Amino acid sequence: MITDFVALIWVVAAGAAVGLVFDFYRSLRKWLGWGKLLTIVGDLVFSAAALYLLFRFFLKANHLDFRFYIVWGSALGLFLYSRILSPIILWLFFKCYWLIERFMGLILSLLSIPVKIVRVLMGPPYAILRWFSLLLFRINEALWGESVVRIRKKALVFWNRLFPPRTNG
């Protein structure tokens, strides 16, 4: 059996836990720069997470037996958290986000090194192949260009004889 004092501590912890989750959500929303739609979805997810946290803490505190101190204790826990710990926790969250951003930038730069190496190594063969293909195109154009144009004209004349254009009138 849990005493009323222990239950009050669980209820105050519930309010502080909701404050911590709200700080995480608020800092993530600010860091990622969410728009209105994502903010609405995030608010719904936060509300569900806060409700779940309160449910779990209240279940631990007094098996969901509603008492007046549940409301005031949660509000006290949220108030104490927001006044004492919130600035420190927000600073820590933003430092963690900054570290994650730098670490991901480092990983991406390390992953781009092989791509840059392949680009440098494949530059000369690609230039030679491009030059050679353009040369072959120009040679074919010089040798077959006139006959291709004549064949195209003859094919169009043949097509128009088979299927004459419609005249509206």
Side-chain angles (χ1 to χ4, degrees):
M1 184 77 181
I2 295 179
T3 65
D4 285 340
F5 180 72
V6 173
L8 179 65
I9 291 187
W10 277 108
V11 170
V12 170
V18 169
L20 178 69
V21 170
F22 180 70
D23 276 348
F24 174 71
Y25 165 63
R26 183 173 59 159
S27 66
L28 190 64
R29 187 179 65 194
K30 185 176 180 180
W31 181 61
L32 294 176
W34 290 357
K36 286 186 178 186
L37 181 65
L38 280 176
T39 300
I40 290 170
V41 172
D43 287 346
L44 291 173
V45 171
F46 164 73
S47 298
L51 186 62
Y52 178 75
L53 272 173
L54 289 173
F55 174 78
R56 297 300 294 178
F57 275 94
F58 293 166
L59 184 66
K60 183 73 174 169
N62 58 3
H63 304 288
L64 296 178
D65 190 20
F66 188 75
R67 302 272 191 246
F68 189 67
Y69 63 84
I70 285 179
V71 176
W72 290 108
S74 298
L76 176 66
L78 184 60
F79 176 77
L80 290 174
Y81 172 82
S82 66
R83 294 294 174 217
I84 298 169
L85 292 176
S86 183
I88 299 166
I89 297 296
L90 280 174
W91 181 82
L92 287 173
F93 279 148
F94 282 117
K95 283 298 178 185
C96 287
Y97 298 151
W98 182 81
L99 285 173
I100 290 169
E101 197 173 59
R102 295 297 180 253
F103 185 67
M104 292 303 287
L106 177 66
I107 288 174
L108 288 176
S109 66
L110 289 175
L111 289 176
S112 69
I113 290 173
V115 173
K116 290 177 183 176
I117 291 172
V118 167
R119 184 180 293 160
V120 167
L121 291 176
M122 292 305 294
Y126 175 72
I128 292 170
L129 284 174
R130 198 170 101 186
W131 173 81
F132 187 67
S133 64
L134 187 59
L135 179 67
L136 287 178
F137 174 76
R138 295 295 179 202
I139 290 172
N140 278 328
E141 188 179 43
L143 292 176
W144 303 101
E146 277 299 314
S147 61
V148 169
V149 170
R150 278 195 312 264
I151 291 172
R152 183 177 180 275
K153 284 182 184 178
K154 287 182 182 179
L156 284 175
V157 168
F158 177 72
W159 184 265
N160 286 333
R161 263 191 300 146
L162 286 177
F163 305 104
R166 291 186 184 180
T167 57
N168 294 334

